Amino acid sequence: VVRPAAVIARLDARALATARAARGFMPDEEGLALAGAALTAPRPGPWLEVGSYCGRSTAYLGAAAVGCGTTLVTVDHHRGSEENQPGEQYHDTDLVDDAGRVDTLPGLRRTLRDAGLERTVVAIVGPSPTVAAIWATPLSFLFLDGGHSPAVQHGDFDSWSPHLRRGGLLAIHDVFPDPRDGGRPPYEIYLRALDSGDFGEVSATGSLRVLRRR
Ligand SMILES: C[S@@+](CC[C@H](N)C(=O)[O-])C[C@H]1O[C@@H](n2cnc3c(N)ncnc32)[C@H](O)[C@@H]1O
């Protein structure tokens, strides 16, 4: 585990500033923990994130990827999760296209441009399981923060975790052991990873958990 001040010293300053200002769902403490974990992933990568939204966590990770010389791939269909749809708690009326559908891709592009990460981060637009089904490159860091429904979370764990190489790191967001704090699926896949015996826990920061593949 790398301490926050030591993490900041190793992050690209422009990308970090952009991450901190970006729209999204990653508190700074967790963003630094995420970036700090990625710094300890086996070289050379690549790293992959599921759930780009407008690029907040992407920019934290990208800020670490710059110094490591690795590529970060970020996957999202950019149509929002259930809670982002019109009328739901996390709907943002700024993030719709000319047909009124949720569209977070322009937000991601803006974040990557402002962060200076357009050569470090590759954005893939599409459903996560469809992308995973054609993926073949071993990953050294995997961050799961896509849809939070049971089917999507378990599907992401099933389809992406086999691509993580030995010694690689798995980060999961919104892990809440107490049901009063949040939804179950991220906690369930965290338990599945531990119960499989294939992963050991490395760190816990807020709702972020980082595990290492044995
Ligand atoms: C919680 S947000 C990601 C937040 C982001 N990591 C941040 O730091 O702000 C979840 C994202 O997952 C995406 N998503 C949900 N289900 C998906 C799926 N099946 N395939 C691809 N993306 C999906 C949504 O479009 C949404 O942008």
Side-chain angles (χ1 to χ4, degrees):
V1 179
V2 191
R3 291 161 54 80
V7 173
I8 291 170
R10 291 179 61 188
L11 299 183
D12 180 87
R14 175 177 165 190
L16 175 59
T18 305
R20 285 174 155 166
R23 212 186 289 239
F25 302 103
M26 170 87 20
D28 188 56
E29 180 197 31
E30 294 178 6
L32 293 176
L34 182 70
L39 289 170
T40 69
R43 303 290 175 94
W47 304 345
L48 188 138
E49 167 184 70
V50 181
S52 331
Y53 195 62
C54 294
R56 186 171 163 92
S57 53
T58 318
Y60 278 106
L61 282 173
V66 170
C68 296
T70 194
T71 296
L72 168 65
V73 178
T74 185
V75 180
D76 199 309
H77 52 36
H78 288 285
R79 292 303 186 191
S81 302
E82 290 164 10
E83 64 274 17
N84 305 127
Q85 301 310 312
E88 299 298 328
Q89 186 181 5
Y90 294 104
H91 179 64
D92 190 329
T93 50
D94 291 345
L95 302 177
V96 290
D97 66 13
D98 55 6
R101 295 183 65 197
V102 172
D103 186 3
T104 54
L105 182 56
L108 175 66
R109 294 219 67 168
R110 213 165 16 247
T111 301
L112 297 181
R113 178 199 66 197
D114 293 352
L117 289 172
E118 289 182 328
R119 287 190 299 171
T120 301
V121 178
V122 175
I124 299 183
V125 181
S128 168
T130 307
V131 180
I134 56 166
W135 190 263
T137 308
L139 301 168
S140 67
F141 190 89
L142 172 63
F143 175 46
L144 296 181
D145 193 21
H148 285 35
S149 70
V152 174
Q153 278 278 313
H154 286 273
D156 281 344
F157 179 72
D158 289 335
S159 58
W160 283 109
S161 64
H163 294 293
L164 191 62
R165 58 177 272 195
R166 256 187 232 166
L169 296 174
L170 168 65
I172 306 172
H173 197 216
D174 295 326
V175 171
F176 297 111
D178 187 335
R180 289 170 296 187
D181 295 330
R184 300 291 72 211
Y187 181 59
E188 289 167 6
I189 65 167
Y190 158 79
L191 291 182
R192 279 184 62 197
L194 289 178
D195 290 348
S196 72
D198 291 341
F199 292 88
E201 183 155 341
V202 174
S203 68
T205 307
S207 72
L208 182 77
R209 297 290 182 280
V210 180
L211 312 176
R212 187 182 295 277
R213 167 156 258 151
R214 298 202 166 98

